[in-house]
Amino acid sequence: FMFQRGSSESKDPDKADPVDDDPATQRGARIAPWPVQAGGWASAVYSYSLGLALLGLFLVSFVVHWLACAAAANDEAMLYGQPTQSTIHFLFDAQLWFESFQNWQSEFLSTA
């Protein structure tokens, strides 16, 4: 690990910072977040809150993508006089999954 002494962005390595401690070990302390103080299911949800938030954002973005693609595909089908698909039926369409995997691939590559 690296640090810079005297830098306002770097923590002093010689001092212990209570903010860096695990909140679960501070269950009785007043500085602990209320889900940690409450314990039980609230503490369990709090411990996975970042993962749950990211999962929720992923699901919302996928549903929005699914609905927008279904509407665009139905608009294009109507232009050419072809039958339209229901939104549920479009969930099993190869075009939706191709576009989704193309998008996920670029996100995974940028993250890596």
Side-chain angles (χ1 to χ4, degrees):
F1 70 99
M2 297 177 63
F3 60 89
Q4 180 180 358
R5 291 193 185 274
S7 172
S8 60
E9 289 86 18
S10 186
K11 293 182 180 180
D12 188 357
D14 299 327
K15 293 182 182 176
D17 193 355
V19 174
D20 293 335
D21 292 341
D22 183 15
T25 61
Q26 305 282 331
R27 182 158 284 150
R30 293 185 56 196
I31 63 168
W34 75 265
V36 173
Q37 291 177 0
W41 67 270
S43 181
V45 170
Y46 179 75
S47 66
Y48 293 105
S49 59
L50 178 61
L52 292 173
L54 293 176
L55 177 65
L57 286 173
F58 170 76
L59 290 175
V60 166
S61 68
F62 181 78
V63 168
V64 168
H65 174 74
W66 169 33
L67 296 176
C69 283
N74 284 336
D75 288 345
E76 187 174 344
M78 287 182 359
L79 282 174
Y80 295 108
Q82 297 174 345
T84 60
Q85 298 178 5
S86 70
T87 308
I88 297 296
H89 186 263
F90 191 74
L91 183 60
F92 301 102
D93 192 275
Q95 184 65 29
L96 171 70
W97 292 103
F98 175 75
E99 291 175 3
S100 296
F101 287 137
Q102 288 284 326
N103 188 27
W104 295 342
Q105 178 184 8
S106 66
E107 293 297 326
F108 291 145
L109 286 175
S110 69
T111 302

